Amino acid sequence: MADRAQRAERRTDALSRERIVEAAIEILDAEGESALTFRTLAARLQTGSGAIYWHVANKDDLLATTTRDVLARAMTEGARGAEPREAVRAIALGVFDVIDAHPWVGTQLSREPWQPAVMQILEHVGAQLEALGVPEREQFNCASALVNYILGLSGQYAAGARLLPRESDRSAFLATMAERWEQLAPAEYPFVRRVAAQLREHDDREQFLAGIDLILAGIAASR
Amino acid sequence: MADRAQRAERRTDALSRERIVEAAIEILDAEGESALTFRTLAARLQTGSGAIYWHVANKDDLLATTTRDVLARAMTEGARGAEPREAVRAIALGVFDVIDAHPWVGTQLSREPWQPAVMQILEHVGAQLEALGVPEREQFNCASALVNYILGLSGQYAAGARLLPRESDRSAFLATMAERWEQLAPAEYPFVRRVAAQLREHDDREQFLAGIDLILAGIAASR
DNA sequence: ACCTGAACACCGTTCAAGT
DNA sequence: ACCTGAACACCGTTCAAGT
């Protein structure tokens, strides 16, 4: 009996890849990318920093796994059943919402090429193209365009969140940016100055979706 | 006379923002992103690492400047005169070629939001939209779609180059990737497995351009 | 005003030593 | 087999001291 209780307790306490990844996600969400170190992680798991290396290869491995895990949840939810155009929009919005909730995912997605998380997005987007009537030999280009657009926005959005003071909101950030745009040299930046007002009022999510729709329209047009 | 000669010599030796940025670009090009530290930079400039801080604010400042400088050369070249669709393609290809030649630029572009280098791309792309007949209130969305797509590909391409052994070429890298795609679980990755063969043969530059054309077609279609 | 370079406060990663 | 934690080889950045 004492034996069993002890074993059960041991098991709860035991380090594992899953527990490490879970703790890493918690730190990333609560305190941001810069707060995740092997020392803080070891402290939270009440172990030595070297112990972590028994379960994960290195920091890149750890970050790729956290990213894939968080993204996988969003990927399985949306995009079931729906009409293909709607499915693509749902996948894209799923990714957007994950990055809105966990900006560090956006950073991570553009750090390693063709990492598992990116493959998931590529697969789910690509799976819709057949139903959209895209010829086989153009499917790769179309999927690549959609994925690269999604990754590009992810990166910029995450970068914005990274330099956002924790309390301040996105609209204040956009207002500051818009002001900076308006102060650019008129001769060099006529276009940027013209759209500065739109930056202030714009909704990131809507603009993101507008880009997806543009690519979908392009796919439909060049079919 | 002696005085003048000395002054001239001093000037050549003197540290300056320009010389620092120039040396940083040389290191980045020759040895990659990980080789650029304030210590290697100071050694190459034959000075102390602290001296660099007199001329640049910090490493982010330095990297943002190197990125803007390298990109600015490409930006001013292409895209003059031409028909607006061609101009957009020329701008995009200009960015692609810069990143092909200096992969670290791709990494850098997605690290800070709306940095000078990104503003340059946005301005040049946006300036073509009026001529393309895009209504004012949609110009921001269209420019954003094009820029985010360009940045997304930049990031992936640079990430690929980062883990490429220095001697090996891109096609070997693609072959390895294609093999890995073919070994993914059939049930989970049917689409990716189907396009794996295309990955092996595909041309990055052409695929990049195909994406630009897709967005341009979408812009034309939803006009 | 500009430069030097040691010092500070960190990192990721390794590894001998423990259990 | 798994964990500990000191040690190693780095970083970016600061700053007293020099010229």
Side-chain angles (χ1 to χ4, degrees):
Chain A
M1 273 273 275
D3 218 62
R4 246 195 223 166
Q6 206 185 2
R7 222 190 301 163
E9 217 177 291
R10 212 26 116 73
R11 171 112 50 141
T12 322
D13 277 335
L15 219 48
S16 69
R17 199 167 216 278
E18 291 71 36
R19 279 194 62 216
I20 292 169
V21 169
E22 191 190 338
I25 291 173
E26 283 168 19
I27 292 172
L28 287 165
D29 282 346
E31 306 179 62
E33 310 168 36
S34 63
L36 182 68
T37 71
F38 278 80
R39 282 167 181 81
T40 61
L41 191 53
R44 171 180 284 245
L45 291 165
Q46 303 191 68
T47 183
S49 63
I52 297 168
Y53 282 88
W54 189 264
H55 297 96
V56 304
N58 50 41
K59 195 168 183 182
D60 280 346
D61 178 27
L62 177 59
L63 283 171
T65 307
T66 59
T67 304
R68 193 201 52 202
D69 275 21
V70 169
L71 209 59
R73 295 175 208 162
M75 225 63 316
T76 47
E77 281 170 26
R80 221 191 305 280
E83 182 261 334
R85 261 183 61 97
E86 272 315 309
V88 171
R89 297 170 107 240
I91 295 159
L93 282 181
V95 177
F96 182 90
D97 289 338
V98 167
I99 287 155
D100 191 39
H102 317 272
W104 52 272
V105 171
T107 309
Q108 214 36 45
L109 284 176
S110 44
R111 284 206 58 236
E112 245 182 285
W114 308 119
Q115 64 180 302
V118 173
M119 298 308 285
Q120 285 180 38
I121 303 174
L122 179 64
E123 176 63 37
H124 283 82
V125 165
Q128 305 302 323
L129 297 177
E130 188 78 41
L132 272 174
V134 179
E136 169 119 21
R137 70 175 193 295
E138 282 164 33
Q139 289 180 10
F140 188 31
N141 280 350
C142 290
S144 156
L146 284 162
V147 170
N148 280 319
Y149 169 73
I150 292 171
L151 294 181
L153 190 119
S154 302
Q156 288 299 105
Y157 199 76
R162 208 182 305 132
L163 51 82
L164 211 59
R166 196 159 300 279
E167 334 84 51
S168 83
D169 61 330
R170 180 93 186 156
S171 74
F173 171 70
L174 290 176
T176 313
M177 270 303 166
E179 238 168 87
R180 209 176 301 172
W181 288 19
E182 278 156 356
Q183 278 156 19
L184 288 168
E188 285 177 65
Y189 291 97
F191 173 76
V192 172
R193 284 167 58 95
R194 228 186 312 136
V195 295
Q198 293 179 50
L199 174 67
R200 206 188 315 261
E201 298 151 19
H202 97 308
D203 180 297
D204 295 289
R205 203 166 183 271
E206 269 175 36
Q207 184 170 61
F208 173 64
L209 204 52
I212 294 288
D213 285 341
L214 222 42
I215 300 177
L216 285 171
I219 291 174
S222 55
R223 211 183 346 158
Chain B
M1 274 274 274
D3 217 62
R4 246 195 225 167
Q6 206 183 2
R7 223 190 296 164
E9 216 177 291
R10 222 1 131 77
R11 175 111 50 139
T12 322
D13 276 336
L15 219 48
S16 68
R17 199 167 217 278
E18 291 70 36
R19 279 195 62 214
I20 292 170
V21 169
E22 191 190 339
I25 292 174
E26 283 169 19
I27 293 173
L28 287 164
D29 282 345
E31 306 179 60
E33 311 169 35
S34 64
L36 181 68
T37 71
F38 277 80
R39 281 169 182 79
T40 60
L41 192 53
R44 171 179 284 246
L45 292 165
Q46 301 190 70
T47 182
S49 62
I52 297 168
Y53 283 88
W54 188 264
H55 297 96
V56 304
N58 50 42
K59 196 169 184 180
D60 280 345
D61 177 27
L62 177 60
L63 284 170
T65 307
T66 58
T67 304
R68 192 202 51 202
D69 275 22
V70 169
L71 209 60
R73 296 174 209 161
M75 228 55 325
T76 47
E77 281 169 28
R80 222 191 304 280
E83 184 258 334
R85 261 183 62 97
E86 272 315 310
V88 171
R89 296 169 108 239
I91 295 160
L93 282 182
V95 177
F96 182 90
D97 290 338
V98 167
I99 288 157
D100 191 40
H102 318 271
W104 52 272
V105 170
T107 310
Q108 213 36 46
L109 284 177
S110 45
R111 283 207 57 237
E112 246 183 284
W114 308 120
Q115 62 181 303
V118 174
M119 299 308 286
Q120 286 179 38
I121 303 174
L122 178 63
E123 175 64 36
H124 284 81
V125 166
Q128 306 301 323
L129 297 177
E130 189 77 41
L132 273 173
V134 179
E136 168 121 21
R137 69 175 193 295
E138 283 164 32
Q139 289 181 9
F140 188 32
N141 279 351
C142 290
S144 156
L146 284 162
V147 170
N148 279 319
Y149 168 73
I150 292 171
L151 294 181
L153 189 120
S154 302
Q156 287 300 105
Y157 198 77
R162 208 183 306 133
L163 51 82
L164 211 60
R166 196 160 300 280
E167 334 82 53
S168 83
D169 61 330
R170 180 94 186 156
S171 75
F173 171 70
L174 290 176
T176 315
M177 271 302 164
E179 238 169 86
R180 208 178 300 173
W181 286 20
E182 276 155 359
Q183 277 156 20
L184 288 169
E188 285 176 65
Y189 292 96
F191 173 76
V192 172
R193 285 167 56 96
R194 225 184 317 135
V195 295
Q198 293 179 50
L199 174 67
R200 208 187 314 263
E201 299 152 18
H202 97 308
D203 180 297
D204 296 288
R205 202 165 183 272
E206 267 175 37
Q207 185 170 61
F208 172 65
L209 204 52
I212 293 288
D213 285 341
L214 224 41
I215 300 177
L216 285 171
I219 291 174
S222 56
R223 209 179 354 155

